[in-house]
Amino acid sequence: MKQVIFIFLLALASSASAQIYRWVDEKGTVHYSNSAPPNGVKATVFDRDAKAGPPSPESAECYTVRCQGERMERRLARQQELDVRLAAERAAATPPRPRGLDFRSYISLSRGMSEGELIVIAGAPDLLFSDVFAVKHYTYLPTHVDPFTTTVLVISGRISQIDRVRKF
């Protein structure tokens, strides 16, 4: 007789522990427990061993670990896609590093040279300003190796003026 009562109580305890209670207290804190909530609290009972089918994407009422994990995986995938896209946008918006103009190229320049010769000797400028009167300002920014800003004024395709100023 004692064995039958013991087995009955064991079965009752295992079935009771198979339920999970979820409730929200007056402060708005969500609680999960395998014991019954306090009196007067409306609780949702979940069967721990239940194998729910896949929830609909619009369903936010699924509280199983599987549903929460799936939603978290989707959120993490969206966040990772957003991070990759933002990193690509930042890389595209970042201006290229200044190339500068080394001293050898600077001393090779002289007034009267053509714009083509300037490009061959000095390379592409870091900044280029031009206006409607065929006046162009080629600017080579300072670098850690060469701390000078070099500005070359080209008028009608010929070098008119060369300025070199130490910046740091």
Side-chain angles (χ1 to χ4, degrees):
M1 177 72 171
K2 288 183 179 181
Q3 290 177 344
V4 172
I5 293 174
F6 178 72
I7 291 173
F8 177 72
L9 289 175
L10 185 64
L12 184 64
S14 67
S15 66
S17 68
Q19 291 182 342
I20 299 173
Y21 298 92
R22 178 189 183 275
W23 74 92
V24 180
D25 65 7
E26 62 276 352
K27 295 179 184 176
T29 306
V30 178
H31 296 275
Y32 291 94
S33 175
N34 59 352
S35 60
N39 291 335
V41 175
K42 182 183 174 202
T44 308
V45 179
F46 299 100
D47 187 9
R48 182 176 67 186
D49 297 325
K51 302 224 184 316
S56 67
E58 298 83 25
S59 174
E61 297 300 320
C62 180
Y63 298 107
T64 64
V65 173
R66 185 172 109 193
C67 292
Q68 291 177 2
E70 289 171 356
R71 284 196 301 258
M72 184 171 65
E73 287 174 359
R74 287 192 298 267
R75 281 194 311 265
L76 290 174
R78 283 194 307 264
Q79 184 64 40
Q80 187 176 13
E81 290 172 6
L82 178 66
D83 290 344
V84 167
R85 185 174 53 84
L86 290 176
E89 288 175 3
R90 278 193 303 272
T94 303
R97 295 181 61 98
R99 293 184 31 243
L101 181 67
D102 64 341
F103 186 71
R104 282 189 176 187
S105 299
Y106 167 70
I107 61 171
S108 299
L109 300 177
S110 62
R111 281 198 225 159
M113 291 177 84
S114 70
E115 187 175 358
E117 290 173 312
L118 167 67
I119 298 297
V120 169
I121 293 171
D126 295 323
L127 300 172
L128 175 63
F129 299 105
S130 60
D131 61 13
V132 294
F133 299 111
V135 176
K136 295 182 181 178
H137 294 269
Y138 287 82
T139 304
Y140 298 90
L141 298 174
T143 62
H144 66 283
V145 176
D146 186 41
F148 292 92
T149 298
T150 306
T151 304
V152 180
L153 178 65
V154 177
I155 299 175
S156 299
R158 297 282 177 191
I159 295 178
S160 173
Q161 184 178 356
I162 303 169
D163 293 324
R164 189 160 169 93
V165 179
R166 185 178 183 100
K167 288 298 180 180
F168 47 87

